[in-house]
Amino acid sequence: MEGDQREEAERKRFARWAEQPPPAELPQRLINPDLALSLPPNSRYLAPPRRTPPPPPPPPSSGLEYFAAPFPSSSGDDDSPTSQALKQPRLAWTPELHARFVDAVNELGIEKAFPTRILKLMNVDGLTREKVASHLQKYRQYLGSKEQHGAPDAGQRRSEPLSLEH
DNA sequence: TCTCGAATAT
DNA sequence: TATATTCGAG
C-alpha cells in the first residue's frame, strides 16, 4: 500500500525534525487541552520520538494547569475571573504543534504558506489565523536569520523539504 | 471586505 | 523570549 510508504516517509521527516532542535526553541509547556483533543488520536505528534526525555513535570499541582497562567496580570488592574475567562490563554507552540505547522508550511512551500492556508492544512481546533500568522512571522525570522548566518546545514535542512518528492 | 505581514505590546 | 494584538497596504 502507499499508506505504508507515506507513513514511513512522514516518520523519517519527523525524525529528522526531532533530531534538529533549531526551530524547536519552543517551550516544553504542555499543549492546550483543546488543541490536544483536536489532534487525531493516532497522531504521531502526540508522542513524538524524543531524544532527551523531558524533565518530569515536578509539581502535580491540581492537574488543571495545562497551560501557564493566561496572561501575566499586567498591572493587576484587570485580573478578574470574568476578564480572564474572556481572554484565551496563550497558546504554547509545543513541538507537536510546531511539527504540524512546519508540515503545513512545507506542504505549501514557504512562499505560498499563508496563515489561512496553513490553518486549513493544520486543521487544529481552536487555532486561529492570527495565532498562525504570529507564529509564521517568527518562523520566517528564524529562517531568515539562518540564511544570513549562513548555517547551510540547519538552514537548508528546513527549506529543503519544500519539494515533497517521493 | 478580507488577508497579509511588519511593528508593537504584553 | 514567546505569543498576541494592532495597523497600514494590497
Side-chain angles (χ1 to χ4, degrees), chain A residues 22-23 141-152 154-156 158:
Chain A
Q141 280 182 357
Y142 163 77
L143 291 181
S145 70
K146 277 295 169 192
E147 275 187 21
Q148 275 203 350
H149 275 81
Q156 281 192 350
R158 302 236 56 82

Side-chain angles (χ1 to χ4, degrees), chain A residues 47-61:
Chain A
R50 286 185 196 280
R51 290 171 60 87
T52 51
S61 58

Side-chain angles (χ1 to χ4, degrees), chain A residues 42-103:
Chain A
N42 62 339
S43 172
R44 60 191 176 285
Y45 299 118
L46 287 176
R50 286 185 196 280
R51 290 171 60 87
T52 51
S61 58
S62 62
L64 290 175
E65 279 126 352
Y66 274 103
F67 28 74
F71 276 109
S73 43
S74 45
S75 31
D77 51 76
D78 185 29
D79 57 348
S80 68
T82 35
S83 72
Q84 282 198 3
L86 290 175
K87 273 182 186 172
Q88 288 225 349
R90 279 174 73 113
L91 165 67
W93 281 89
T94 61
E96 293 81 18
L97 202 53
H98 181 72
R100 275 202 159 194
F101 170 85
V102 173
D103 262 0

